[in-house]
Amino acid sequence: MYEAKPARRERDVCVVLCHGFPELAASWRHQLQPIADAGFHVMAPDMRGYGLSDGPADPTRYSIAETTADVAALIADAGYEKAVVVGHDFGGMVSWNIPYLQPDSVAGVITLNTPFGYFADNPLEKYEQAYGPENYVAYFQTEECEQLLDKDPARTFRFFMRRDTGSGTNLSRTGRHDPESMAYIHWLKDDESTWPGEVVMDAEELAFYADAYARRGFGGGLSWYRSILRNWAVHTERFPDGVIPRAGVPALMIAASRDPICAPQLSDNLLQYFDEFERRIIDTGHWTQLEDPEGTTEIIVDWLTRHF
């Protein structure tokens, strides 16, 4: 876990930064010190099953109920009653859900890229209906995908961690939220010379991620996707009528204008879930806090200091 503390404790809340797939706590390395300099105790863990954090072999043990409980336990262990929970990608599912599943532990939420909503029907079936059987969520369920990612972690990260240079990236060559973009993962099988965009990390950073995943593999991260049906069950059990109440904490959404997978319009409905909600759109692709660290940090620190 990465951690930064202010010179003295001035805030009643801490900040927890939750990364997504396929990332590590190090994805927040540019945000840690500026948030601490603003007076907040800030922590960025390797999430369950990633990097240096333990994770069960059972893929059903990565449900949103368990991952939000992990964050609540971290907050309590640090000596705080509440935190602002910040999430990116699948970490964004943690930040959106923690007000509902661990309400006593959260004072506010910030989410980068990830939309939020409720599936009345089986989400894997809905994804296949909308995007076809080749969609990335379906492929992430398979052992074939895990073997492909594990085969050469450095190559896998050169594939994933790319920014748009005018011709799209491996997360979307069309620039649209469409079935072709949602099937992006299959392009990993193609020759590397065909991959558009450029790697967003330098060689040292890329080696850090590749080494971590070479030791542990991608199974822990993929287990978050393999728990999607369990997550759906958690919601249907908690909200049997399909109506999610408004959360009583302030929320900030940072959407990325060049992220077709998590397109900004997918967050148009978020106002209905929060009494106090802001959305900012930043000119990046999916790897928001890496592509524009200064801009991302400025938005986060401004919102934190205004609210806390």
Side-chain angles (χ1 to χ4, degrees):
M1 182 178 77
Y2 292 84
E3 185 173 22
K5 297 181 179 181
R8 61 182 183 274
R9 181 165 171 171
E10 298 176 337
R11 312 280 186 174
D12 293 330
V13 300
C14 63
V15 178
V16 182
L17 307 173
C18 303
H19 68 79
F21 179 87
E23 297 181 89
L24 297 167
S27 292
W28 298 105
R29 59 193 175 277
H30 301 294
Q31 285 72 46
L32 284 160
Q33 194 58 52
I35 293 174
D37 290 344
F40 294 90
H41 180 178
V42 56
M43 297 170 284
D46 284 344
M47 303 299 284
R48 176 179 289 223
Y50 289 91
L52 297 178
S53 288
D54 291 333
D58 181 355
T60 67
R61 296 289 311 282
Y62 292 76
S63 77
I64 198 66
E66 291 170 293
T67 54
T68 53
D70 287 345
V71 174
L74 179 63
I75 295 164
D77 186 66
Y80 292 84
E81 290 187 6
K82 295 180 182 290
V84 177
V85 180
V86 185
H88 171 252
D89 188 79
F90 228 118
M93 292 303 297
V94 173
S95 54
W96 285 141
N97 281 279
I98 200 166
Y100 299 102
L101 300 178
Q102 298 288 337
D104 293 339
S105 297
V106 62
V109 299
I110 301 174
T111 300
L112 282 63
N113 302 69
T114 311
F116 175 64
Y118 175 78
F119 281 99
D121 301 310
N122 183 311
L124 296 183
E125 292 178 357
K126 295 294 287 185
Y127 257 67
E128 183 165 346
Q129 291 169 10
Y131 306 117
E134 297 292 297
N135 75 81
Y136 76 96
V137 175
Y139 195 51
F140 281 175
Q141 310 299 312
T142 68
E143 288 299 317
E144 176 187 303
C145 180
E146 185 172 343
Q147 292 168 6
L148 178 64
L149 300 182
D150 284 348
K151 183 179 179 180
D152 185 345
R155 184 177 188 273
T156 297
F157 274 96
R158 290 196 302 274
F159 173 83
F160 273 118
M161 311 302 292
R162 303 178 82 84
R163 77 173 101 216
D164 187 357
T165 55
S167 59
T169 70
N170 288 327
L171 301 186
S172 176
R173 290 171 177 169
T174 66
R176 298 187 298 272
H177 184 81
D178 57 15
E180 183 178 358
S181 295
M182 298 296 279
Y184 75 86
I185 186 59
H186 298 279
W187 305 332
L188 177 56
K189 304 167 191 172
D190 298 342
D191 188 274
E192 190 167 343
S193 64
T194 67
W195 299 347
E198 64 182 11
V199 178
V200 73
M201 296 177 175
D202 64 29
E204 183 177 0
E205 292 169 327
L206 188 71
F208 179 84
Y209 280 73
D211 289 347
Y213 278 80
R215 292 193 303 271
R216 188 175 192 104
F218 286 82
L222 290 172
S223 289
W224 288 61
Y225 287 90
R226 293 166 181 171
S227 291
I228 284 177
L229 289 183
R230 180 61 194 138
N231 293 346
W232 177 56
V234 169
H235 278 283
T236 54
E237 291 164 6
R238 189 170 179 83
F239 310 113
D241 59 359
V243 177
I244 299 178
R246 294 172 76 88
V249 297
L252 169 67
M253 171 73 186
I254 302 176
S257 62
R258 291 193 247 176
D259 182 0
I261 299 297
C262 297
Q265 66 266 25
L266 298 178
S267 61
D268 287 347
N269 66 337
L270 279 168
L271 186 60
Q272 67 181 295
Y273 299 115
F274 294 90
D275 291 331
E276 189 174 351
F277 175 73
E278 296 177 36
R279 182 172 67 172
R280 300 284 298 276
I281 298 180
I282 193 167
D283 186 26
T284 70
H286 186 67
W287 314 111
T288 307
Q289 69 271 48
L290 299 178
E291 294 183 46
D292 185 359
E294 293 83 7
T296 302
T297 302
E298 181 180 357
I299 293 171
I300 290 174
V301 170
D302 170 70
W303 188 89
L304 286 171
T305 53
R306 281 191 288 112
H307 286 83
F308 302 97

